């Protein structure tokens, strides 16, 4: 080693999160400790993919060593297990960024979710994916030596740590490009020095890896001298290129864990070879749980694009539309130009055709789960329902198909299980619309006076309480030919629907109520746009409704809370002329009438989930009434 290299040795501290993660991981993943080998082989395979991609435009990166492979060996005397690859390698800066920090998006949220309960946290950490750091489950010291392809031999970097908070970094000479990781095994982990044990772990986890994984053992030659003997342990062909009939369920699952960076089995997958104007193979998986970065706008993981087996890019937001960003897997295109840049590729029509095809296959898969595996679909909905809902506004061509996949709560069930098709199937005779109510909470929705007449007539109403639901209903106008209608907007006319129980008593003639409505309008001028007789109230005296063309109150509140400016529109007050309170109002003097009218409106605002502009005034008026009644 040269003096300059020695001078560059430095000790650095891990990012605080790394320390915490290491500690947690070692304790919680111990029962699945062999996964460290899977993680390291997986990283080595990704490094080979990256080298192949960069070498497309710069073949010199191969440095006369174009046969990419991963080699695993053990040294029983030293107590070490070594994983070596001739992939892309890392520069000094990359080592600091990738190995000393957790660059993964969603890290902060991940730590926010930890509970301190070992069992729960173990599951979480599995979902998060720990990669390289899993080495510390079995090793008390890890030495990583690497050189990035394209840099000269004196630009090697050695990283070393015992996993307790610090690491050293020094510049070393490294003749071969790529990465070598030496695990100094802990006292109790000598099983990983056993050839047979190591080979069986490699076989279990690496059969689908597209490049050879060799186990380099020691053997005696005829002269009795020890020599190295390399044996390829995996099949070394990309899983998706094999015939479906030759792939077992376990192999599909193992491959998912590799591409999806997940520890759990996937829920479902589809493997298709498409021939036509564009030939491509796609292997797409639905995970069993939401990834940590589901709500992170910069998340990159998702579907990987290969062209003729050469990895081109991985980007959750570009190969799949945003509403399918939870899908994992690979697309391998046969006819796309290899040497085209990622940016250009993305915009080609050919790529668009492939993308559309994959979206259709994914929707087929989701349809199939929804149809035939109800319990699994409930999981899909639980984890990805909010994301799928975005598709209604995002993917115009598939809007109807996406709408079929949606599930809601309704006045008939608190479970999010009602599909629009279910709803339409049980619409009442004479009912011509799909009714819904948006609210901030389920309790708020269920207590809404807007539902009264629907309850009375036995008409089901969908209860929408996710923020994204406002987006859904502003993009989905009809389903199966039936318009969607808010129960809190415009006029409601259920006269063609027969009442579930006895016929409703004849509604008091609205014409006769004209003077009362006029007085109310005058008393509430400035707060209500209009006051009219209601056809939706049964028990409550009054409720607010949005005018046909206005924004509903729930959406307006939501947008305001997000800091957006919302056009001010006053609500319409609907009153229940059959209610005793309204009857009583008629006889009141003007001053008292105005007070009571104000109270009626205040109540309606509260029931609508809104806030009163003058809560003190409201309380005073209620108290006046209480004393007056006493
Ligand atoms: P992940 O693989 O999930 O990103 P890791 O902690 O396993 O997380 O690895 C972090 C990063 O370190 C990788 O994304 C990669 O950039 C780099 N890295 C790890 N192993 C290698 C390797 N063998 N060769 C090149 N880069 C690697």
């Amino acid at each position: 080693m040269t003096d300059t290299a020695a001078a560059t040795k430095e000790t650095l501290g891990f990012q605080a999160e790394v320390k915490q993660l290491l500690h947690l991981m070692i304790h919680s993943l111990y029962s699945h400790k062999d996964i460290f080998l899977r993680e390291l082989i997986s990283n080595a395979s990704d490094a080979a993919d990256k080298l192949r991609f960069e070498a497309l435009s710069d073949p010199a990166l191969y440095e006369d060593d174009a046969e990419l492979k991963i080699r695993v060996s053990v040294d029983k005397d030293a107590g070490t297990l070594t994983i070596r690859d001739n992939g892309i390698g890392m520069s000094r800066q990359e080592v600091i960024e990738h190995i000393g920090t957790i660059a993964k998006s969603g890290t902060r949220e991940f730590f926010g979710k930890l509970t301190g309960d070992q069992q729960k946290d173990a599951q979480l950490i599995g979902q998060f994916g720990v990669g390289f750091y899993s080495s510390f489950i079995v090793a008390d010291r890890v030495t990583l030596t690497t050189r990035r392809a394209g840099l000269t031999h004196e630009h090697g970097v050695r990283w070393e740590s015992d996993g307790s908070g610090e690491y050293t970094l020094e510049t070393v000479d490294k003749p071969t490009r790529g990465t070598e990781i030496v695990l100094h095994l802990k006292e109790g982990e000598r099983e990983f020095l056993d050839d047979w044990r190591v080979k069986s772990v490699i076989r279990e986890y690496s059969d689908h890896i597209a490049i050879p994984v060799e186990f380099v053992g020691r053997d005696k030659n005829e002269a009795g001298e020890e020599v190295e003997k390399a044996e390829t342990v995996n099949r070394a062909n990309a899983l998706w290129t094999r015939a479906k009939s030759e792939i077992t369920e376990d192999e599909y699952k193992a491959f998912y864990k590799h591409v999806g960076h997940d520890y759990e089995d996937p829920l479902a997958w589809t493997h298709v070879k498409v021939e036509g104007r564009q030939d491509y193979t796609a292997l797409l998986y639905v995970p069993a749980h939401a990834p940590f970065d589901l709500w992170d706008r910069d998340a990159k993981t998702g579907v990987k694009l290969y062209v003729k087996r050469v990895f081109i890019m991985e980007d959750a937001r570009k190969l799949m539309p945003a509403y399918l960003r939870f899908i994992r897997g690979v697309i391998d295109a046969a006819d796309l130009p290899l040497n085209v840049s990622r940016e250009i590729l993305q915009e080609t029509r050919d790529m668009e055709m492939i993308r559309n095809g994959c979206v259709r296959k994914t929707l087929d898969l989701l349809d199939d789960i929804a149809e035939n595996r109800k319990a699994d679909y409930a999981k899909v909905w639980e984890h990805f329902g909010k994301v799928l809902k975005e598709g209604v506004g995002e993917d115009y061509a598939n809007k109807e198909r996406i709408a079929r996949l949606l599930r809601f709560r309704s006045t008939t069930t608190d479970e999010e299980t009602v599909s629009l098709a279910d709803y339409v199937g049980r619409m009442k005779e004479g009912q011509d619309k799909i009714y819904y109510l948006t609210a901030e909470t389920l309790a708020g929705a269920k207590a809404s006076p807007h539902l009264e007449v629907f309850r009375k007539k036995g008409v089901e109403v969908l209860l929408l309480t996710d923020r994204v639901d406002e987006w859904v209903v502003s993009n989905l106008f009809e389903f199966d030919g039936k318009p969607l209608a808010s129960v809190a907007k415009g006029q409601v006319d259920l006269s063609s629907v027969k009442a579930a129980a006895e016929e409703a008593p004849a509604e008091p003639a609205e014409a006769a109520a004209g003077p009362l409505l006029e007085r109310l309008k005058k008393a509430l001028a400035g707060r209500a746009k209009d006051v009219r007789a209601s056809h939706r109230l049964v028990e409550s005296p009054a409720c607010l409704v949005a005018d046909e063309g206005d924004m509903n109150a729930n959406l307006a509140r939501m947008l305001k809370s997000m800091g957006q400016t919302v056009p001010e529109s006053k609500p319409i007050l609907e009153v229940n002329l059959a209610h005793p309170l309204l009857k009583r109002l008629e006889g009141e003097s003007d001053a008292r009438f105005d007070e009571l009218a104000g109270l009626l409106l205040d109540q309606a605002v509260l029931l609508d989930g809104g806030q009163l502009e003058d809560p003190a005034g409201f309380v005073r008026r209620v108290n006046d009434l209480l004393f007056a009644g006493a």
Side-chain angles (χ1 to χ4, degrees), residues 1-11 92 154 156 168-173:
M1 194 185 299
T2 63
D3 286 351
T4 48
T8 59
K9 179 159 180 170
E10 56 182 326
T11 301
R92 189 181 181 99
E154 70 275 18
T168 59
L169 208 56
E170 68 188 300
T171 301
V172 297
D173 197 80

Side-chain angles (χ1 to χ4, degrees), residues 43-44 47 50 85 89-90 98-99 104 130-132 179 261:
N43 282 348
K50 286 179 197 157
D85 68 66
M90 283 176 273
H98 298 318
I99 305 292
K104 224 167 279 185
V130 282
F132 172 78
T179 304
H261 295 276

Side-chain angles (χ1 to χ4, degrees), residues 430-444:
Q431 183 185 346
D432 55 359
K433 295 191 177 85
I434 297 172
Y435 290 103
Y436 67 84
L437 171 71
T438 57
E440 260 173 85
T441 62
L442 182 62

Side-chain angles (χ1 to χ4, degrees), residues 457-624:
K457 295 231 173 184
V459 171
E460 184 172 12
V461 176
L462 300 174
L463 304 176
L464 313 185
T465 55
D466 278 342
R467 284 188 154 209
V468 62
D469 288 333
E470 292 285 2
W471 165 254
V472 172
V473 295
S474 59
N475 284 286
L476 188 69
F477 309 113
E478 56 158 51
F479 178 81
D480 201 11
K482 312 279 187 298
L484 268 75
S486 165
V487 300
K489 215 170 177 183
Q491 296 277 11
V492 159
D493 182 7
L494 291 183
S495 55
S496 54
V497 181
K498 286 222 162 58
E502 82 286 8
E503 275 306 304
E507 276 160 8
E510 277 173 50
L516 173 63
L517 295 175
E518 280 311 314
R519 266 181 96 188
L520 280 168
K521 257 182 245 182
K522 220 173 94 209
L524 297 173
R527 290 188 66 197
K529 188 172 186 174
D530 192 12
V531 178
R532 68 188 182 206
S534 181
H535 301 284
R536 61 188 110 209
L537 295 174
V538 178
E539 282 140 27
S540 303
C543 69
L544 295 185
V545 263
D547 205 355
E548 205 66 71
D550 288 347
M551 190 181 283
N552 81 49
N554 188 56
L555 177 59
R557 277 193 296 274
M558 195 177 101
L559 292 175
K560 273 187 200 156
S561 78
M562 289 157 67
Q564 304 209 16
T565 43
V566 175
E568 285 301 328
S569 56
K570 287 192 203 81
I572 294 169
L573 183 72
E574 282 197 0
V575 293
N576 177 0
L577 293 174
H579 197 279
L581 208 67
L582 271 293
K583 297 223 160 83
R584 223 184 97 183
L585 262 179
E586 276 187 308
E588 297 290 349
S589 69
D590 279 351
R592 193 149 158 91
F593 183 93
D594 288 358
E595 282 279 285
L596 289 172
L599 263 180
L600 207 57
L601 183 65
D602 286 346
Q603 285 185 6
V605 170
L606 290 174
L607 279 176
D608 203 46
Q611 281 188 344
L612 296 178
E613 272 167 30
D614 176 20
F618 173 75
V619 171
R620 183 174 39 74
R621 272 177 285 184
V622 170
N623 287 345
D624 286 351

Side-chain angles (χ1 to χ4, degrees), residues 21 39-48 50 83-85 87-90 94-95 97-99 101-104 128-134 144 146 178-181 261 301:
L21 182 64
E39 294 299 310
L40 297 181
I41 290 174
S42 194
N43 282 348
S45 154
D46 290 347
K50 286 179 197 157
I83 294 98
R84 214 176 267 134
D85 68 66
I88 192 75
M90 283 176 273
E94 285 168 332
V95 171
E97 280 168 17
H98 298 318
I99 305 292
T101 51
I102 305 175
K104 224 167 279 185
F128 181 67
V130 282
F132 172 78
Y133 295 106
S134 59
L144 173 147
T146 186
T179 304
E180 174 192 280
I181 295 167
H261 295 276
T301 50

Side-chain angles (χ1 to χ4, degrees), residues 126-194:
Q127 296 173 7
F128 181 67
V130 282
F132 172 78
Y133 295 106
S134 59
S135 324
F136 288 102
I137 306 174
V138 297
D140 48 21
R141 189 154 52 93
V142 176
T143 313
L144 173 147
T145 311
T146 186
R147 170 166 70 75
R148 198 174 199 295
L151 296 180
T152 46
H153 62 89
E154 70 275 18
H155 286 99
V157 187
R158 177 162 297 148
W159 176 99
E160 189 167 67
S161 177
D162 63 2
S164 67
E166 287 179 336
Y167 62 92
T168 59
L169 208 56
E170 68 188 300
T171 301
V172 297
D173 197 80
K174 189 171 185 302
T176 54
R177 74 157 188 270
T179 304
E180 174 192 280
I181 295 167
V182 180
L183 307 183
H184 304 265
L185 296 170
K186 288 179 187 170
E187 207 39 63
E189 309 299 342
R190 293 186 66 85
E191 63 188 279
F192 293 107
L193 296 175
D194 179 73

Side-chain angles (χ1 to χ4, degrees), residues 8 32 46 109 117 181 221-222 271 372 429 469 556 581:
T8 59
H32 311 281
D46 290 347
E109 294 88 278
D117 174 331
I181 295 167
N221 67 8
E222 281 148 30
H271 185 187
N372 304 312
E429 207 186 308
D469 288 333
L581 208 67

